[in-house]
Amino acid sequence: KRQVRIHPVDAEARGIKNGDIVRMYNDRGSVLGVAQVTERVRPGVIHSYTSSSKYDPLEPGKPYSTDRAGCVNLLTSSRMMSKNAAGMAPNSCLIEIARWEHR
């Protein structure tokens, strides 16, 4: 699973503990990761590397199915930096994070 850094203040507000499986989500999709509660990120900021070698949805074929392989790129915009330059715009986006409840 993808490591997700979260500040202790944000983790406590959401009932997240170090090592918990968490769900990062926004209107583009949702992704599972493992919480690392640390002061190495600022309050209000979540850090996770954006790539993944595999897309592994919990419910294949269902739109917006939660990805269990940690493909955080699902949550970021696919817009280009400009029409004249290759490369993606900075990979930052608004998300919410919650402790994942196993079903």
Side-chain angles (χ1 to χ4, degrees):
K1 297 276 184 249
R2 177 75 50 202
Q3 181 177 312
V4 181
R5 292 180 178 155
I6 182 171
H7 191 275
V9 170
D10 297 322
E12 184 177 357
R14 292 165 175 80
I16 296 171
K17 295 186 178 18
N18 200 54
D20 281 350
I21 297 177
V22 294
R23 178 176 165 252
M24 298 172 283
Y25 62 96
N26 62 17
D27 61 337
R28 295 179 181 106
S30 67
V31 179
L32 299 181
V34 177
Q36 180 188 18
V37 179
T38 178
E39 292 186 4
R40 293 187 71 177
V41 294
R42 295 176 60 97
V45 174
I46 301 298
H47 174 266
S48 183
Y49 293 103
T50 60
S51 62
S52 176
S53 61
K54 180 179 178 182
Y55 171 62
D56 188 14
L58 289 173
E59 299 175 80
K62 182 178 177 186
Y64 301 104
S65 176
T66 299
D67 174 49
R68 62 179 149 214
C71 187
V72 179
N73 283 341
L74 293 171
L75 306 178
T76 62
S77 172
S78 59
R79 65 187 159 82
M80 301 300 270
M81 290 182 74
S82 82
K83 65 180 180 176
N84 300 317
M88 299 300 291
N91 282 340
S92 60
C93 61
L94 294 175
I95 67 160
E96 184 52 76
I97 186 169
R99 187 170 177 269
W100 187 61
E101 300 296 329
H102 303 274
R103 294 182 202 165

